[in-house]
Amino acid sequence: MAAEKSITAPKSETNTILVGCLWASLTLIVWSAWPAFTRLAVTESVTPPDIVLLRYGIGGLILLPVLLRLASAMPRHAWLEGLWFALLQGAPLAMLTTKGLALSPAGHLALSTGLMPLFTSLLCLIFLHEPISRLRKLGLGLITLGALAIGGFSLTSIHPDYWKGDILFVCAGMMGSVYLLRMRRSGLSALQGAALLSVYSMLIYTPLFLWLWWDSSKLTQIPVSDLVFQGFYQGVLMGALTIFSLGRSAMLLGAPAAAMSLALLPVASFLLAFFILGEVPSLFEMLGAAAISLGAFLAALSAREQNKA
């Protein structure tokens, strides 16, 4: 019986890791393709405000029942904290990244996702006095070099708007880092935070959209097939499913391990932009994306080692 237990336990642990990797892979694939599909949409069919409406209008509706189910267990401060979540990680951040994708290549979104470990580490050092290990310093140094390589390409590019989009991506990365810090200190679960920011974004952004951007909207002018695809991708996949899949992978693998799997985002985004949009990255851009991915991996590995200690 003891031998039977010893065989079953590792097998169960292996299955848990495998399922966690599958959820993490799903998150990686959807997030990696989002820049390309969004750039394709905002340069050919719809406006950036349209994309934000699809993401949080649909995503908020899907997560509304979740929020109502979790409401009774929510601490009182969570309802005010949700406003900060919506401001930092909701519609304003989505608007920055979507407008950035209308100006810059899809792969340059690596400046947003890739710089978040750097900004988050600096904020934790300044406000929480958390030390930065040597391994994390190495990772953050690689992220900085990678960002400089991509930014330097934009400044020397013949396309005059690339650098403008890059600035929006950097601002989005800073906002996302502040959100992560507030989320960490809030004591809320990932699902609670996601439900709050999605529903609040829907309730606040939808009337603003109807007031400010409805007249310039192209949602009623595009083919139904395009509208259904963007609604599914932006609202269902990005607005709801990946929130669950990311939380599920973090639960099964641990947050640092889940973050390590997402370190491939910068490189994967460039590759999918090539296959979907035909955007051919320069050597500097690919080296920059590789440096950011490696740096993000090392930073997540450092966090994992600190958690074990």
Side-chain angles (χ1 to χ4, degrees):
M1 183 69 70
E4 203 174 301
K5 286 184 179 177
S6 65
I7 293 172
T8 305
K11 186 175 181 181
S12 175
E13 184 178 349
T14 301
N15 289 338
T16 298
I17 294 173
L18 177 60
V19 174
C21 288
L22 290 174
W23 282 117
S25 298
L26 175 63
T27 308
L28 175 65
I29 292 169
V30 175
W31 279 9
S32 298
W34 181 80
F37 284 130
T38 301
R39 179 164 170 79
L40 181 65
V42 296
T43 55
E44 294 190 1
S45 57
V46 296
T47 66
D50 291 340
I51 291 291
V52 180
L53 178 72
L54 292 173
R55 179 164 178 174
Y56 288 106
I58 298 173
L61 282 176
I62 293 173
L63 289 175
L64 179 58
V66 176
L67 181 61
L68 294 176
R69 182 172 59 84
L70 298 173
S72 60
M74 289 271 200
R76 186 175 297 177
H77 77 275
W79 301 101
L80 180 59
E81 196 68 32
L83 291 174
W84 282 106
F85 293 168
L87 174 66
L88 295 168
Q89 188 70 9
L93 183 141
M95 185 70 81
L96 283 178
T97 53
T98 306
K99 281 186 172 290
L101 287 168
L103 298 169
S104 296
H108 284 211
L109 190 64
L111 292 171
S112 175
T113 55
L115 285 172
M116 284 176 64
L118 173 63
F119 293 140
T120 303
S121 295
L122 293 177
L123 288 172
C124 288
L125 175 65
I126 295 170
F127 294 105
L128 303 181
H129 307 291
E130 287 188 359
I132 301 178
S133 67
R134 289 184 179 179
L135 183 60
R136 183 174 292 190
K137 287 179 181 177
L138 175 60
L140 299 181
L142 286 170
I143 290 173
T144 303
L145 289 175
L148 290 174
I150 294 175
F153 169 81
S154 294
L155 289 174
T156 58
S157 172
I158 59 172
H159 301 279
D161 292 332
Y162 278 9
W163 67 272
K164 298 176 185 177
D166 288 355
I167 289 177
L168 296 180
F169 294 148
V170 172
C171 292
M174 292 177 66
M175 289 173 61
S177 300
V178 178
Y179 161 75
L180 290 176
L181 188 60
R182 291 198 71 97
M183 182 64 200
R184 175 180 167 185
R185 302 188 69 182
S186 71
L188 300 174
S189 69
L191 186 58
Q192 288 174 325
L196 281 168
L197 80 86
S198 293
V199 173
Y200 276 20
S201 293
M202 175 188 67
L203 294 175
I204 296 170
Y205 181 76
T206 303
L208 278 176
F209 174 85
L210 294 174
W211 179 32
L212 296 174
W213 296 298
W214 176 250
D215 290 341
S216 60
S217 173
K218 297 181 180 178
L219 289 176
T220 59
Q221 304 171 20
I222 64 173
V224 174
S225 58
D226 291 350
L227 181 60
V228 170
F229 174 78
Q230 287 297 334
F232 177 75
Y233 203 96
Q234 304 292 340
V236 178
L237 296 185
M238 288 296 297
L241 179 61
T242 55
I243 292 173
F244 174 81
S245 63
L246 179 62
R248 190 66 180 157
S249 65
M251 184 185 301
L252 295 172
L253 301 175
M260 287 165 61
S261 69
L262 295 178
L264 289 171
L265 267 172
V267 171
S269 295
F270 268 107
L271 291 175
L272 287 176
F274 170 74
F275 287 111
I276 296 171
L277 300 175
E279 291 182 351
V280 181
S282 68
L283 178 61
F284 272 102
E285 289 174 302
M286 279 308 299
L287 288 175
I292 291 175
S293 284
L294 179 58
F297 178 83
L298 293 177
L301 181 61
S302 172
R304 185 183 184 187
E305 296 301 322
Q306 285 182 341
N307 284 358
K308 284 183 178 179

